[in-house]
Amino acid sequence: MTDPRRTFTDVRWFGELDSTNAWLLEAARSGIAEGTVVVADRQSAGRGRLGRRWESKPGSGLLVSLLFRPRIEAGDLFSVAALGTLAAREAVAAVAGVDARVKWPNDLVVDDVKLAGVLSETSGIGTDDLAVVVGIGINLSWPAPGPDATALNAVCLDTLAGRPIDGKALLEALLDAAEARRPMLDDASGRAGLIRELAGCTATIGRHVRVELPGETFFGTAVSMDEHGHLVVDLGGDRRVVTAADVVHLR
Ligand code: BT5
């Protein structure tokens, strides 16, 4: 049977890397093609947003990065990360039967506990040579219940599904979901559709939140996501548009 995938076909699986995002970003700068997918069993320096770390013991998570070369403006970059988040969400539903929600901007959570994180990084922004690496970490079998999991406020798919989940099957489902949405990046209505779809499964909207910015913290109610994926927060009349921050869901 021919592979129905056309974009995400070149999958490179490593035993260990510092970071799948770091590897793919470097390769992107050297001209590697859109659709290259990098997976690692373990990462020695897994990256989160804002210089944070992604923790994953060997073989305990799906650690994958996908390369996109979309022809988009910087203001539309959120749609690429949104595609990655939606693909991860669809994959955990398909393979593990888990209905995850999104914590803005790109975490997958179940009952406000983090199952997966997404980190999008770029090179060549503002040029004809834009490359966007979308890195996704999904907890498969770690953290086990215990201090680590509690400290991270993390959960894994095995626990949620009540059975072992196969990382390869999860990867296949994720790539299929990414492939199906890839054409949406090519026009404005498709990109808007990705943001709308993400907003529709974002648990942050409607929640009372604490927004943590460098040097400033404020409270409000998250009311919507704008067309760029920014979070609109109501402060009791005044509205603020949050572009990059940490948001904490409050009860
Ligand atoms: C993220 O950052 O959630 C993005 C994580 C992206 C990881 C993937 S793995 C493949 C690819 N290659 C990389 O190097 N990175 C990507 P952020 O929103 O900043 O969240 C990071 C925070 O999540 C940390 O500071 C911890 O509090 C928490 N955390 C770390 N590891 C975790 C885990 N395994 N499960 C749940 N939470 C975790």
Side-chain angles (χ1 to χ4, degrees):
M1 230 170 70
T2 53
D3 189 340
R5 261 186 240 139
R6 287 178 300 140
T7 306
F8 300 103
T9 51
D10 181 4
V11 179
R12 304 182 185 202
W13 203 302
F14 294 84
E16 177 168 344
L17 287 177
D18 53 352
S19 150
T20 56
N21 263 36
W23 192 96
L24 195 51
L25 207 52
E26 192 55 40
R29 291 192 180 106
S30 308
I32 206 167
E34 166 154 12
T36 308
V37 177
V38 175
V39 193
D41 291 328
R42 62 193 296 172
Q43 291 184 134
S44 54
R47 310 212 276 229
R49 293 181 305 130
L50 311 168
R52 289 184 295 236
R53 283 181 68 90
W54 184 256
E55 311 287 350
S56 188
K57 291 177 186 164
S60 67
L62 176 62
L63 309 167
V64 56
S65 297
L66 282 63
L67 179 61
F68 297 82
R69 293 188 180 278
R71 298 198 164 271
I72 60 172
E73 303 293 325
D76 285 332
L77 276 171
F78 191 86
S79 57
V80 190
L83 189 158
T85 309
L86 291 166
R89 180 173 184 266
E90 191 170 314
V92 301
V95 175
V98 168
D99 183 21
R101 307 269 292 158
V102 175
K103 175 174 168 286
W104 186 87
N106 289 127
D107 289 351
L108 286 189
V109 294
V110 175
D111 293 334
D112 278 347
V113 182
K114 187 158 170 172
L115 170 66
V118 176
L119 171 68
S120 154
E121 298 182 278
T122 59
S123 81
I125 205 160
T127 72
D128 291 346
D129 208 17
L130 173 67
V132 186
V133 171
V134 177
I136 301 166
I138 305 177
N139 296 327
L140 279 172
S141 56
W142 178 88
D148 279 3
T150 310
L152 283 172
N153 193 28
V155 69
C156 64
L157 270 186
D158 284 7
T159 302
L160 292 169
R163 63 186 166 89
I165 298 300
D166 177 36
K168 286 201 174 67
L170 189 65
L171 175 67
E172 292 299 313
L174 190 153
L175 296 182
D176 285 348
E179 186 78 40
R181 288 179 179 78
R182 173 61 187 87
M184 298 176 80
L185 291 176
D186 292 333
D187 59 72
S189 69
R191 292 191 291 270
L194 287 167
I195 306 261
R196 260 200 318 278
E197 190 183 353
L198 192 80
C201 53
T202 294
T204 309
I205 296 170
R207 294 287 293 268
H208 193 50
V209 291
R210 185 171 77 233
V211 179
E212 297 173 350
L213 295 163
E216 186 193 3
T217 298
F218 65 89
F219 295 85
T221 304
V223 287
S224 60
M225 210 185 272
D226 74 9
E227 71 273 24
H228 303 293
H230 301 156
L231 191 68
V232 182
V233 180
D234 187 297
L235 285 76
D238 287 344
R239 291 199 163 185
R240 284 189 58 173
V241 177
V242 180
T243 55
D246 266 325
V247 167
V248 178
H249 291 175
L250 303 172
R251 294 281 164 201

